[in-house]
Amino acid sequence: MIISVVIPTFNEIKNGYLKKSLLVLTQKENFEVIVVDNMSTDGTTQLVQEYQVKLYQDKLPSRAERLKHGILKAKGDIILLHHPRSVLSIEALNELEQTTANWGAFRHEFDKSHPLLKFTSFYSNFVRGGRGIFYLDHCIFFKREFVPYVLKLKNIEIFEDTEISLILRAKAKPRLLKSTSTTSAIRFEKNGVFKQILLNQRMKILYYLGKHHQEMNRSYEQNIGLNNDFDA
């Protein structure tokens, strides 16, 4: 069985998580690692080229576009959408190999200890996740048979992971694996924990009210620009 891992990147060097992920992922011989990069200028592509992975670089400003580009190139029986600022252990990858789930995600945790961050992960795993909605930092996976449906995802700039979950949820019930995806808390460190939590909730409200995705993303990425090539 082949597992294709799709990692969407944009200027990932400073956080250090991409290197950690590649070190783990490239230990697995049956894993096809695909990095889709949005014309990074910080050495991301040079780092990627040090590993046995497939690199595709193009002007793909939204993470949705990068994910779909990688999915189109993937040849695996299972597709794993891997957040560039999350890391999975070898044990997590072994669990993925053994799962019979049609689709699902890993349990989430942050790399920093804070009561509100722990609550955020708990909510993400068991409340939102209990409804079948997982964000990309859970590292979402699905069987190849679901590829045509996921490729119908629109080229939105934010909440693409929610939309993917909704597409998959309509087809099958997800499974939350026991292993953990450890994710960088960089947004909370830069904005402050309370401010970032409030911003996250504001974005969710705007999403459900039907706010345009570009306006939401510009507000979300303001002065951080982790997922897009602007820093407004």
Side-chain angles (χ1 to χ4, degrees), residues 110-227:
F110 286 107
D111 62 355
K112 303 296 181 184
S113 180
H114 188 286
L116 288 177
L117 294 183
K118 290 181 179 180
F119 175 78
T120 298
S121 291
F122 172 83
Y123 182 90
S124 184
N125 289 328
F126 302 111
V127 180
R128 188 177 66 244
R131 301 196 303 268
I133 303 295
F134 297 103
Y135 290 165
L136 188 61
D137 53 11
H138 281 265
C139 294
I140 299 168
F141 66 88
F142 52 90
K143 289 184 176 179
R144 182 161 197 85
E145 63 194 80
F146 295 99
V147 165
Y149 305 109
V150 176
L151 289 177
K152 293 179 181 179
L153 175 70
K154 295 179 181 179
N155 293 334
I156 52 178
E157 294 185 0
I158 193 170
F159 287 111
E160 78 291 331
D161 38 19
T162 298
E163 293 293 318
I164 289 171
S165 293
L166 291 173
I167 290 169
L168 292 169
R169 190 181 70 176
K171 301 298 179 182
K173 185 177 180 180
R175 182 177 301 172
L176 181 66
L177 300 186
K178 293 181 180 179
S179 300
T180 299
S181 168
T182 302
T183 299
S184 169
I186 186 171
R187 290 187 182 275
F188 296 88
E189 292 174 335
K190 287 196 170 188
N191 282 335
V193 173
F194 291 99
K195 182 179 177 181
Q196 184 62 44
I197 287 175
L198 290 174
L199 177 59
N200 289 347
Q201 297 309 309
R202 177 173 176 268
M203 290 298 106
K204 290 177 188 177
I205 292 170
L206 292 176
Y207 168 74
Y208 286 111
L209 289 176
K211 190 75 170 180
H212 194 275
H213 66 96
Q214 289 179 329
E215 293 180 39
M216 284 192 293
N217 197 50
R218 189 166 293 278
S219 175
Y220 190 61
E221 293 292 327
Q222 189 173 18
N223 300 321
I224 293 182
L226 291 172
N227 294 331

Side-chain angles (χ1 to χ4, degrees), residues 6-10 12 34-39 56 58-71 84 155 226-229:
V6 178
I7 309 176
T9 61
F10 176 67
E12 304 295 340
I34 300 169
V35 175
V36 184
D37 184 73
N38 176 34
M39 306 303 291
Y56 299 95
D58 205 342
K59 188 68 175 176
L60 299 167
S62 74
R63 201 161 61 186
E65 291 173 273
R66 280 171 257 159
L67 288 171
K68 290 197 296 180
H69 190 89
I71 293 168
N155 293 334
L226 291 172
N227 294 331
N228 299 78
D229 56 356

Side-chain angles (χ1 to χ4, degrees), residues 24-40:
V24 177
L25 292 166
T26 53
Q27 293 182 45
K28 303 287 288 184
E29 293 184 359
N30 61 321
F31 275 57
E32 172 193 46
V33 183
I34 300 169
V35 175
V36 184
D37 184 73
N38 176 34
M39 306 303 291
S40 291

